[in-house]
Amino acid sequence: MQTLIKNIAIETQVKKPYYKLCVQGMTQQLIALLLRQCVSVQENKTDKNHLKLKNVIVPALSKIHTDYAKELSIDELSQLCMVSKSHFCRTFKKAMGVTPVQYINSYRIDIASAMIKNTDEPCGTIAGLCGFDDPSYFYRLFKLQKGVSPTSLRK
């Protein structure tokens, strides 16, 4: 999955012809891997509703993976899944183990990490490309998730 995320970041950065098609394909591949992982988790869990929960949030996961650089609201994601905001948040947390905001930030940090390793773009620019409006917040979150600062990762 990390390789796919890295390749999505590279395609998004380099923008060769038909890069959007490549990104869409890799995103769908990533979603399929996530669903497979849920199925294997489902086999080990006694909760029969886990897969149903996962299927409710698939549209939101797809949106997050394709539009991570844009502003994503919980209202928008819940409407996409055709459930209330509170039901969406509860279902997402139960299915994914983290809140929607935590998942979005984690995904964005993973994309940023791949971009930092594979491009010469400044970290502040990468933060913006990955959907972070505040570079300070990006740096704090990055260090918290990865254990090193973005600039240290590049070295």
Side-chain angles (χ1 to χ4, degrees):
M1 280 194 253
Q2 288 178 342
T3 303
L4 273 173
I5 292 170
K6 176 179 155 187
N7 289 339
I8 289 170
I10 292 169
E11 283 290 336
T12 304
Q13 187 65 31
V14 176
K15 296 184 180 178
K16 290 183 181 178
Y18 305 105
Y19 79 96
K20 287 183 181 179
L21 187 60
C22 289
V23 169
Q24 286 176 340
M26 286 186 275
T27 300
Q28 290 187 355
Q29 196 175 6
L30 191 58
I31 291 169
L33 289 172
L34 284 168
L35 287 172
R36 283 181 182 166
Q37 188 176 13
C38 286
V39 169
S40 67
V41 167
Q42 173 64 22
E43 292 168 357
N44 295 330
K45 287 192 172 202
T46 56
D47 183 6
K48 301 291 182 191
N49 292 324
H50 189 75
L51 189 57
K52 285 184 190 177
L53 294 174
K54 189 68 169 182
N55 286 333
V56 169
I57 64 167
V58 166
L61 288 172
S62 180
K63 178 81 171 166
I64 291 166
H65 290 212
T66 55
D67 294 340
Y68 63 87
K70 297 177 184 173
E71 184 177 329
L72 297 169
S73 73
I74 301 303
D75 286 329
E76 175 188 7
L77 295 174
S78 64
Q79 287 173 4
L80 193 61
C81 296
M82 296 183 284
V83 294
S84 72
K85 184 177 173 181
S86 60
H87 181 69
F88 172 74
C89 289
R90 204 172 35 253
T91 303
F92 196 99
K93 170 98 182 199
K94 197 168 187 180
M96 300 302 290
V98 293
T99 68
V101 171
Q102 289 171 325
Y103 184 87
I104 292 166
N105 284 336
S106 178
Y107 185 75
R108 287 174 171 169
I109 293 293
D110 286 342
I111 295 289
S113 177
M115 290 175 81
I116 288 168
K117 291 177 185 174
N118 296 297
T119 70
D120 292 330
E121 289 289 330
C123 293
T125 302
I126 290 173
L129 292 172
C130 291
F132 291 100
D133 295 331
D134 182 2
S136 298
Y137 179 65
F138 166 73
Y139 281 88
R140 275 195 320 274
L141 199 60
F142 192 98
K143 185 158 184 165
L144 186 67
Q145 186 174 323
K146 297 295 183 182
V148 294
S149 69
T151 50
S152 297
L153 183 68
R154 179 167 275 160
K155 291 178 183 176

